[in-house]
Amino acid sequence: MSSPLVRALAFSLAVSGASAITPSVLASTSEAEVEPDLDHGQRLHRQCALCHGQYSQGILGGKYPRLAGLPDYYLMKSLTDYRDGVREHAAMTVVGGLRTLSDNDLASLSAYIASIDLDAVHPLDVPTPDGSDVENGEDIYKSDCKTCHGRSAEGNKRKESPKLAGQYDGYLFRQIEKFKAGKRMHANDPEDETFVDYSDQDILDIIGFVTTIDDKSDDKN
C-alpha cells in the first residue's frame, strides 16, 4: 500500500500534467470555433440585407456600399473594427447587431458575403462619374494604387487592402474624404498621406477608372 506522501505526490503530478495539456486543447477548440459556417453566415446576413440589399449589392450612389464579393479577410477586419468600436457607424452596430456577435459569427458572416457572386444573382454595371478622365485615372492608378489594390483592383490579402472594382463611386469618394480628414486610417498607417498631393480632379479620375474595371460592355476600357 502506498504511503500518504506518495499518493499526494502522484496527485500533484496528475494535476500538473492536466494543466500542461490544457492550453493545446483550448487552442484546438478555439481554432475549431472560428471555422466559417456559410449557412450560419447567411442567416446573420438577413440583418445586413436591411441596408445593403438581399445580395449585399448595396445601393446605387453608394449610400450603402456593395459588400458582395469583397475578400473575407477585409470583411472580417472591417466587421471586427465596427464591433470593437475602432470604426463607428450606428447602423452597423445597432441594426446589424454587431456588438453581440462573436469572432465565429463574424468569420461565418464574412465568408458568406465574400462567396456571393453578383454576376450570377444580381449583375451590376457601376456607372462612371461624369467629368472623369479615365485615361488619366488609369495612369495614376497603375503608378500609385496597383501595388496595394492589385492590377484589376481585386485587393491584396498581404496588405489587407480591399477590392475596389465594382464599388460605387459615391462610396469611394466618401472614404477618400475620410482618409484626407484623418477620420479613417488608410493603409493601416496613421501617418499615411497618400491623397495629400492629389487634386480633386485626380481623385475623380482615379475613381472613374476604377468604375470601368469590371464593365460588362463590349467597349470595356
Side-chain angles (χ1 to χ4, degrees):
M1 181 180 296
S2 59
S3 68
L5 178 59
V6 172
R7 289 198 298 272
L9 180 59
F11 177 77
S12 176
L13 289 172
V15 171
S16 298
S19 299
I21 65 171
T22 298
S24 62
V25 171
L26 290 177
S28 62
T29 301
S30 176
E31 289 172 2
E33 288 176 351
V34 297
E35 187 68 28
D37 179 340
L38 292 183
D39 289 336
H40 181 50
Q42 185 174 22
R43 290 190 293 272
L44 292 172
H45 181 262
R46 292 170 186 166
Q47 288 301 114
C48 308
L50 295 175
C51 293
H52 291 278
Q54 180 180 358
Y55 305 109
S56 259
Q57 72 272 18
I59 295 178
L60 188 64
K63 179 178 181 181
Y64 297 107
R66 166 190 176 165
L67 303 180
L70 288 178
D72 56 355
Y73 62 82
Y74 179 75
L75 289 165
M76 183 67 183
K77 182 181 186 304
S78 296
L79 290 171
T80 301
D81 284 350
Y82 281 121
R83 182 194 64 184
D84 297 345
V86 176
R87 291 176 66 178
E88 294 288 346
H89 195 290
M92 290 288 292
T93 54
V94 178
V95 178
L98 291 182
R99 293 281 164 81
T100 64
L101 300 186
S102 67
D103 286 351
N104 186 32
D105 291 330
L106 296 185
S108 296
L109 178 56
S110 298
Y112 172 71
I113 295 173
S115 74
I116 299 173
D117 180 2
L118 283 187
D119 286 341
V121 298
H122 190 88
L124 288 179
D125 196 355
V126 177
T128 298
D130 293 336
S132 59
D133 181 339
V134 172
E135 291 185 0
N136 181 52
E138 181 176 11
D139 289 341
I140 298 173
Y141 181 90
K142 289 183 176 179
S143 173
D144 300 341
C145 311
K146 183 179 70 174
T147 300
C148 289
H149 288 281
R151 179 181 297 275
S152 300
E154 73 275 15
N156 185 317
K157 184 174 184 178
R158 183 174 60 84
K159 294 180 178 291
E160 296 185 329
S161 62
K163 175 180 179 178
L164 301 180
Q167 190 57 267
Y168 298 105
D169 62 303
Y171 178 75
L172 294 175
F173 273 121
R174 289 201 306 278
Q175 300 319 300
I176 290 175
E177 288 302 309
K178 289 180 180 180
F179 292 140
K180 290 170 67 176
K183 295 180 179 179
R184 186 179 172 192
M185 189 186 306
H186 181 255
N188 295 322
D189 180 4
E191 304 299 323
D192 180 82
E193 297 183 341
T194 296
F195 301 102
V196 170
D197 295 329
Y198 292 146
S199 68
D200 291 344
Q201 184 63 48
D202 287 336
I203 291 172
L204 177 64
D205 295 346
I206 295 168
I207 293 175
F209 167 68
V210 168
T211 64
T212 71
I213 290 176
D214 67 345
D215 277 357
K216 307 301 186 296
S217 58
D218 292 335
D219 58 343
K220 177 179 177 181
N221 291 298

